[in-house]
Amino acid sequence: MPDRSRNSRPPDPAPHPADAPEPGGVEWVQCRSCQVIVYGRRFERVARTCPECGWHAPLTARERLVQLLHHDSAEPVVPGPTPDDPLGFTDSKPYPQRLAEARETTGMHSAVLVAVGRIEESPVVVAAMDFRFMGGSMGSAEGEAITAAAEVALERRVPLVLAIASGGARMQEGVFSLMQMAKTAQALAALDEAGVLTVALVSDPTYGGVAASFATLADVIIAEPGARMGFAGPRVIEQTIHERLPEGFQTAEFLLAHGLVDAVLPRSRQRAALGVLLRAATRPVRAVAAAGDEQTPGRGPVVTDHRDVPERPAWDVVETARDVGRPTTIDHLGYLLEEFVELHGDRMSGDCPAVVCGLGLLDGSPIAVIGHQKGHTTRELADRNFGLATPDGYRKAARVMRLAAKLGIPVLTLIDTPGAYPGVDAEQHGQAGAIADNLRLMSALPVPTVAVVLGEGGSGGALALAVADRVLVSENAMYSVISPEGCAAILWHDRAAAPEAAEALRLDARSLMEHQLVDGIVPEPQWGAHSDHDEAAALLRAAVTGCLSELIGKDSQSLVRERRRRFRQFGTTAPSAQPPDPTHLSVSFQLEGTA
């Protein structure tokens, strides 16, 4: 690793609030978006955002570091030396002259400043880009600065935050600039391999080679309102394909809707969100004790004997499981976690509102939570697609699971869905493949996993979040290969036979536990989870923390081996459910063939 303390140039000044530019004698500022006149000092106090319309003015690299880092923590990182003009390039001006002008204007050696510091109480490396320096374009010096930031983050095992604003690769350096894309991408790959969190903070604009390398490789991408990001700019696209682009094309809001960024946050909320992410990524994982006495009298936090659960008609269970008053994933998150940042998008095509994912803290210990989300009102149910997840939702869940595996933190899944969405769009986007990928992924996750069926556990849409070390089902929940109505329509040829089908499917918690298809039952309040959300959440918390206390501390190989053994035994009569002898299988096939 290069020695950051010795190179051919002095370091850029350490970021400090004193370096933040004053309003410069400008008492009033006009917003470029809504044209409202804003008092200059007020504009600076709110991190250069318009209090009327929310427009985010560009920040210099120093301003960005001041915005993010604790004021007394910043320590500059000095990248290694790079050539100034590797090609001897001249357009209307010699390239060295352009560099000299940019350096004089900005007081920076390149378009990137790097510093080590703290965001809230968490250590972090921040690399901030400055669009004033030749449009924030990436040349050799910029690529070296981003790479140096990643290497310091790797050396210190602390997260890397990239504050980005760039027009793309720098033409004056030709293929040298192009190579910075690969150089920075491999630097982030090293952080992936080491389990170090990376976060991109995208501001306007972020285009070209920067967008197509480190900007979109970060684990989490947060965009400022209105920020544009893409590989090719709108003018290039319009001139090339001669098509009218959609309204708001490539803006942060457009990217969020298409699953390409995790969140759109104004500057006033960025530090807090980063603080939660950094704590989730850096705090040690530990077992969390259940708070208070939330156990049902005579029963522990998890019921493991089916006889301790009263028998009920299966159809009553179905109706209770579907009650719109039952607490949802979001309801439970508000009780279970003291901090949570929701992550959006599958980074491919969309974001499914029927699946909620994110990182948070459970009594100070990091955890990733993934859950189906329905809602309580007709509007909420419609907005969340009635909990019917699309391929985007399952790919989003997979992305967060992989992030949890990278960071070494447990995964909790909360299941409440009639099933996977069966529409034409879902089929065109690979619904079956998305579910199958999750089954394979969850079977190999090297971290503790707990799954809880909260209400409806419908078919493969539920199982895609339920290949876990511990699978629990709420006392009044259901878990089935098909809905009772669907089963009745196919086998009874009459949907009215749904109650009879429900009994035959043995989909209630008591039956599931009797057949050892689940590991335990989560007790509910006397009249059901819908009758008391607080008590239901307390009972769920006790069950989840009890399971995590058994799992945390186990090595990854043991977790995976025991998880696979658990699912291997289903549908067999052998108690150990070990894989059969391959020789025996081959003989059997030969005998069947000769017969």
Side-chain angles (χ1 to χ4, degrees), residues 246-331:
E247 186 69 25
F249 182 68
Q250 293 181 326
T251 62
E253 295 73 18
F254 178 93
L255 297 170
L256 182 66
H258 288 79
L260 301 175
V261 299
D262 287 286
V264 177
L265 296 178
R267 286 176 192 153
S268 60
R269 294 174 54 196
Q270 289 170 7
R271 241 180 96 105
L274 288 170
V276 176
L277 290 171
L278 299 182
R279 284 189 286 275
T282 58
R283 284 192 179 178
V285 174
R286 56 182 178 79
V288 179
D293 184 13
E294 287 93 10
Q295 300 181 125
T296 301
R299 297 191 286 181
V302 176
V303 178
T304 56
D305 189 336
H306 70 280
R307 292 168 295 188
D308 290 337
V309 177
E311 291 189 61
R312 292 180 56 200
W315 189 248
D316 286 356
V317 172
V318 171
E319 291 184 317
T320 305
R322 292 172 173 172
D323 193 303
V324 295
R326 289 179 71 82
T328 66
T329 290
I330 290 178
D331 294 330

Side-chain angles (χ1 to χ4, degrees), residues 290 292-305 308-309 472-473 475 520-524 538-547 550:
D293 184 13
E294 287 93 10
Q295 300 181 125
T296 301
R299 297 191 286 181
V302 176
V303 178
T304 56
D305 189 336
D308 290 337
V309 177
L472 309 179
V473 58
E475 186 174 355
I521 298 171
V522 181
E524 294 188 20
L539 291 165
L540 175 65
R541 187 184 191 281
V544 169
T545 55
C547 289
E550 298 172 3

Side-chain angles (χ1 to χ4, degrees), residues 4 6 20 44 64 113 128 222 226 238 252 287 341 343 351 374 400 433 440 442-443 482 490 507 522 524 549 561 578:
R4 307 295 172 206
R6 293 184 297 176
E44 296 294 331
R64 181 68 72 181
L113 283 183
I222 297 172
E238 287 177 343
V341 172
L343 305 179
D351 180 51
K374 287 182 177 177
V400 174
R440 178 174 57 187
M442 289 197 78
S443 72
I482 191 172
I490 294 170
L507 47 68
V522 181
E524 294 188 20
S549 68
R561 182 173 59 249
Q578 294 297 325

Side-chain angles (χ1 to χ4, degrees), residues 285-287 408-410 445-450 468-470 519 546-566:
V285 174
R286 56 182 178 79
I409 65 177
L445 282 179
V447 294
T449 55
V450 177
D469 299 310
R470 298 289 185 272
D519 297 298
C547 289
L548 288 175
S549 68
E550 298 172 3
L551 298 169
I552 289 171
K554 287 190 175 185
D555 65 272
S556 59
Q557 290 184 342
S558 296
L559 287 169
V560 173
R561 182 173 59 249
E562 292 172 14
R563 188 185 310 141
R564 288 178 172 173
R565 182 183 295 129
R566 179 187 185 279

Side-chain angles (χ1 to χ4, degrees), residues 162 181 184-186 188-189 192 198 200 210-221 347 406:
L162 303 160
M181 295 171 64
T184 56
Q186 74 179 19
L188 264 67
D192 288 338
T198 55
V210 168
S213 57
F214 61 88
T216 49
L217 289 177
D219 298 314
V220 179
I221 302 176
R347 296 279 180 91
K406 169 182 170 176

